[in-house]
Amino acid sequence: MPPADESVRPTTDRIKETIFNILQWDVEGARVLDLFCGSGALGIECISRGAAEVVFVDKSRDSVDLTKRNLQGIEGNYRVVNADFLGVLRSGDTRFDIIFVDAPYMSGLGEVAVDAVFDCDRLAEGGVVVYEHSTELPYVPQRNDVVARTKRMGTVTVDFVRAKRVALVTGSFDPVTKGHEEVIKAALADFDEVVVACLVNPEKNYMFTPEERLRLVKAALADEPRAKAIFSEGTAVDVAKSVGASVIVRGVRGEGDLDYENAMAEYNRERGVDTVFVTPDRYADLSSTAVREQLKNGDFHSLPAYAIIEAQEIMKNKIR
């Protein structure tokens, strides 16, 4: 049922269709929070698509009454709450898979609500905030821990806001090779940001200093805006937590690496960080040991293209 006047602005059918075309695989079994629910159209659509639970929230008594009328005859696990959105976000601890934010346009409340969702930790892992707003006022995230996918539809824009997924790729990188480059590319395909950490193994004798290893990795990442390189003497788990990475990504060359890598993955998991293994389609057998020998002979072909000039400069100084 549409509103009797313009005190409630329902999401149009075209916008709703676009939203659910994007969300189609996320709704079934989801916990849904419909803030500024208005007529309840978005949450009701989720019920029809098999959501496990829908909570409708609106401060307006008229909107709550309208939502309840529109829910008559609909079966499902839902409740309607007449309350301010901030009070609801701050007072509970349930985490939702989908949170709709459809605040009055140009009010500034939408941005406040999106930030509050993350500040109050109300979004489940892998969940999404669906923020509908006027195209005249673009959404520009002011925080570094989220990413937004934007869909513009004339005067209306919908941003699908998710927690940024960060992966940590670890290694000695003595030096970084094309095999490492393939592992980093695989991580970038699955994560929003990749941090490449040059770590220290006290049992290894390094050809390159920490500064040189970091220079080479940074050069290799010159064409990857979503990747950055750091050096650390800490453990992989400590570094992962410090950069906000949800997983550690490790390259595995073959069966010979698996026993050691599985043991390290279990160690990391017990300390709260999972590990993902990647076997590159190319350069899987390329080892840093072999590449070091190549470099001593002036052969740089096994290095990432952007790292070759840096490596040539470093090797000149070493030869001197």
Side-chain angles (χ1 to χ4, degrees), residues 21 62 65 96 114 129 147 156 167 202 219 230 252 280:
N21 281 342
D62 289 341
D65 289 342
F96 295 88
V114 173
V129 178
V147 291
V156 176
I230 62 173
V252 179

Side-chain angles (χ1 to χ4, degrees), residues 1-62:
M1 178 188 297
D5 56 34
E6 295 186 358
S7 62
V8 176
R9 172 189 45 74
T11 299
T12 68
D13 288 342
R14 183 172 71 90
I15 294 169
K16 185 167 68 172
E17 181 181 3
T18 299
I19 288 172
F20 284 97
N21 281 342
I22 293 172
L23 292 180
Q24 59 181 313
W25 307 115
D26 298 329
V27 179
E28 186 174 0
R31 279 184 164 178
V32 178
L33 177 62
D34 189 357
L35 298 177
F36 309 96
C37 66
S39 66
L42 293 172
I44 290 171
E45 183 69 22
C46 288
I47 295 172
S48 72
R49 290 171 178 257
E53 176 186 7
V54 179
V55 179
F56 299 86
V57 175
D58 207 298
K59 187 177 181 180
S60 165
R61 183 73 250 179
D62 289 341

Side-chain angles (χ1 to χ4, degrees), residues 4 18 24 47 49 85 89 112 159 174 188 223 263 272 301 306:
T18 299
Q24 59 181 313
I47 295 172
R49 290 171 178 257
F85 72 94
L89 291 173
V112 173
D159 279 286
D174 186 42
L188 284 166
D223 197 35
H301 82 278
Y306 288 105

